[in-house]
Amino acid sequence: MKNIDSYNHVRGESIYLDDIPLQAETLYAAVYDSPIAHGKIKTLDMSEAKNAKGVIRILTAKDIPGENQIGGIVPDEELLADTHVHFCGMPIALIIADSEEHARLAVKKIKATFEPLPVITDPRVAKEKGELIIPPRTFQSGNIETAWKDCSYIFEGRADTNGQEHLYIETQGAYAIPQENGAIRIYSSTQGPTAVQRTAARVLGVPMNKLEVDTTRLGGGFGGKEDQATAWAVLCALASFHLKKPVKYSLHRMDDMRMTGKRHPYSSDFKIGLNKDLKILAYEAVFYQNAGAAADLSPAVMERTLFHCTNSYFVPNVKATAYSCRTHLPPNTAFRGFGGPQGMFVIEAAIAKAADELKIPASSIQEKNLIRTGEEFPYGQKADSEANECWQKTDELYQIKKLQEEINHFNASSDQYKKGMAIMPVCFGISFTKTLMNQARSLVHVYTDGSVGISTGAVEMGQGVNTKILQVAARIFSIEPSRIKINTTNTWRIANTSPTAASAAADLNGKATEIACMQILERLKKIAIEECVVTADIDKTEIPPFELKDEWIYINGKKTEWTWNKLVMAAYIKRVSLSELAHYTPPGIHFDPSKEKGHPFAYHVYGTAIVSVTVDCLRGIYEIDNVKVVHDFGKSMNTIVDLGQCEGGIVQGIGWMTMEEIVFDKDGKLRSNALSTYKVPDIYSVPKEITIHALETKRDNLAIFRSKAVGEPPLMYGIGAYFALRNAILAFNPNANIKFDAPMTPEKVLLNLYNEKSDQDMENGQSKSG
Ligand code: MTE
Ligand code: MOS
């Protein structure tokens, strides 16, 4: 089944925040944000701005009736800076005007002076200075101290990954409309309507039930609107609260890039120990997470880095420590993979380093160490592993050895171009690592004409969750998908929702929908047995099996004269409820942070990708030739949607690893602040070919209809692009001293192609390959 939004999308008829018809007297907001990364506000002169054309009011921290606090996990983030600013782009004042243009023009008329304070941008420096968001955490298994003694080889190194701009097509934005009795309706482009509601209540000092947050869909979120949509929605609500008028704010792209946080850059140290048979016996890692100026979701992101620090491998002795370091960058936040990719990059770097030193391909270490069913992750959960199956299937389908030989052959006969490939196994845990967040509700109404309306806490952001929820109801009721409508995500209909994140929205909200539909079906079944057996000529002494198939009722396998419509009407006439609000929470998950052990994930998603690239060794530019994947879908309930998620995730992951380069200068100013200076993959730079083989695994698990979560895991296949480029560079320049420092931009490729290579080496190298 196609994504139910596809028709409206291509016709431009889908509703996003900017498509909501504006009410009369709507006002427009714009933020005056800090021009410096750290300092004390000395003076704030708003007189000229106040008198500027169209300006209605300017709000500052003093105008906040409740708490000036938007920190979700740690209360360390002001909505509007009061006395100090902590990052370039921190909101200081909110201008409300009669037009967008007037609001933006007035921003430029605000004059402020600051007493600058020292700026930290490097997480290692922050850690040295004791600037930590939360105390460090360590995941441990086995005994790392004694394990080193048993290792034949030990390698150490450092690995860095940069941030990533979310670049959702729809920028952040919100629209608040006052209602009667002090209530406010907030349309928000958010992944977490409840987060908006809760935070707005805190800032305004009103109870949550006064705030209706409504989200139709997002033009992409990718984690960037899990927490960071909140500020803009709360600012609109604040203005609307004071002025009793509708207030809208949708950010200009450059404002969005400047003021919002991104994927966390990490700097990490690793130490890996192997025995003679290439078994990894010990692994130690220290992660320095660049959290930015406030906690935001950093503690949770850091936790997932630790969970995924050994990727798909079984390592008996592990010690991984992570520091969430406070710097003066915009607070970094969730981004597809949620810290997992950063953790995985480091162990892949450690393996690559070991392979280099031992002069063997990394794949021979990778394959030997894939986690098997029954083996334990460092956090105590036992694997139900598909890691080996994925790898073997990859080898069988794509023939790893043959691919490598073809590449070697090509490289031997080509001077200017060199190819490289890398294999990237992935293992990603599904569930919010904060156990309590794994809960969802679904409200299903069957109307008397047989049509169905569903509301859940899931937010549609292009990933197809609404399509999947609709499929759940269509399957349970066995009715035409066109008779089902998925409603907007709304905090008055569904309360206390977890954000749509952790790839878990389809599982959690789908299962809640399944339960709601099953309960309605049970009631309908009773009616059917009471009412329609008469016409079906069936022995009434036993309870006959009931079935709904393509909108017809079957009793005892025999088609009756009753349709879905007739049954629904009969239920209504008998005063039986046709509505249900169901609650779902996955069983069996738990985690004890005091021991850092438990069973945090409902299940894991596995997969293996081979990434192949060609480098132009004259120019440093490159192409991604192909990505060949075996991905564990469980049993996909929607292959079109799921393949789309895989392809999109892979391209986004490759972008992070290759061309997307965020640059902050030492003063904490974002230099890559526009699409002219920040390059994301376009149609010319996506892989020339992506092949995805669906591994069907029927293991009983907690995925909706055994269709495993797919939103985030494929992004991590993109990490293979980094290592493939590295191998291509090494094919040209075996002495290249390549740092593990992503992204591998064309500039870095060029520098590495020629680094530490004398003219003598160049000649030798060329004569060898020529
Ligand atoms: N796909 C699209 N098209 N747009 C998005 O914003 N977000 C990703 C992923 N796929 C995203 C996407 C992220 S970060 C997550 S956590 C999941 O979708 C969330 O949705 P799910 O739980 O329904 O998979
Ligand atoms: Mo996704 S990063 O969990 O929103």
Side-chain angles (χ1 to χ4, degrees), residues 325-611:
C325 310
R326 193 187 297 277
T327 61
H328 298 104
L329 303 184
N332 286 315
T333 194
F335 196 133
R336 208 171 192 173
F338 207 80
Q342 290 96 320
M344 291 180 196
F345 180 84
V346 179
I347 192 159
E348 293 303 327
I351 290 172
K353 166 109 185 186
D356 279 3
E357 301 282 336
L358 298 171
K359 302 202 174 356
I360 54 169
S363 57
S364 51
I365 300 175
Q366 291 173 310
E367 185 181 4
K368 272 239 163 69
N369 291 284
L370 294 169
I371 194 161
R372 287 167 198 280
T373 296
E375 288 175 338
E376 224 174 84
F377 291 100
Y379 48 89
Q381 183 161 343
K382 283 202 168 59
D384 263 337
S385 178
E386 250 82 56
N388 274 285
E389 221 177 325
C390 287
W391 184 287
Q392 295 316 327
K393 193 79 197 169
T394 303
D395 196 15
E396 181 193 319
L397 286 174
Y398 311 124
Q399 305 194 28
I400 296 170
K401 211 168 144 217
K402 191 163 152 258
L403 286 177
Q404 188 59 61
E405 278 164 10
E406 281 167 15
I407 285 179
N408 295 346
H409 183 74
F410 175 92
N411 287 346
S413 60
S414 168
D415 288 340
Q416 191 187 333
Y417 296 94
K418 297 289 181 190
K419 286 186 186 288
M421 73 174 231
I423 307 183
M424 183 65 201
V426 169
C427 166
F428 195 80
I430 302 302
S431 286
F432 287 97
T433 56
K434 186 138 190 87
T435 302
L436 78 86
M437 291 173 77
N438 296 284
Q439 53 171 307
R441 281 151 295 278
S442 173
L443 176 63
V444 177
H445 296 309
V446 179
Y447 293 92
T448 52
D449 65 354
S451 65
V452 175
I454 302 176
S455 302
T456 73
V459 172
E460 177 60 51
M461 46 186 172
Q463 86 280 37
V465 68
N466 281 355
T467 305
K468 289 186 175 178
I469 288 169
L470 183 145
Q471 282 181 280
V472 170
R475 193 187 296 188
I476 305 281
F477 289 148
S478 196
I479 58 175
E480 272 297 306
S482 61
R483 309 196 63 186
I484 304 166
K485 179 175 178 292
I486 308 294
N487 295 311
T488 61
T489 316
N490 183 297
T491 56
W492 279 359
R493 259 181 274 127
I494 301 292
N496 311 323
T497 60
S498 292
T500 289
S503 304
D507 280 358
L508 297 174
N509 296 279
K511 291 247 182 193
T513 303
E514 183 184 10
I515 295 168
C517 293
M518 287 300 287
Q519 274 168 12
I520 294 172
L521 192 66
E522 273 306 305
R523 297 199 282 268
L524 290 174
K525 186 170 154 182
K526 271 206 195 110
I527 310 267
I529 289 162
E530 284 165 23
E531 300 282 318
C532 63
V533 282
V534 189
T535 56
D537 181 27
I538 284 157
D539 178 10
K540 280 176 93 175
T541 53
E542 277 174 49
I543 297 174
F546 157 95
E547 205 189 347
L548 244 171
K549 218 164 70 192
D550 301 332
E551 307 204 357
W552 284 93
I553 314 300
Y554 291 72
I555 304 281
N556 253 343
K558 284 190 196 150
K559 191 172 186 178
T560 68
E561 283 162 16
W562 281 59
T563 60
W564 162 257
N565 278 8
K566 192 166 168 185
L567 183 58
V568 166
M569 191 45 105
Y572 174 71
I573 289 166
K574 293 202 119 195
R575 290 177 286 166
V576 168
S577 168
L578 289 167
S579 297
E580 190 68 32
L581 173 65
H583 171 82
Y584 172 73
T585 176
I589 52 170
H590 55 88
F591 192 71
D592 180 354
S594 70
K595 299 193 178 73
E596 305 288 25
K597 297 280 179 199
H599 188 104
F601 299 117
Y603 57 91
H604 291 87
V605 171
Y606 293 87
T608 302
I610 308 176
V611 184

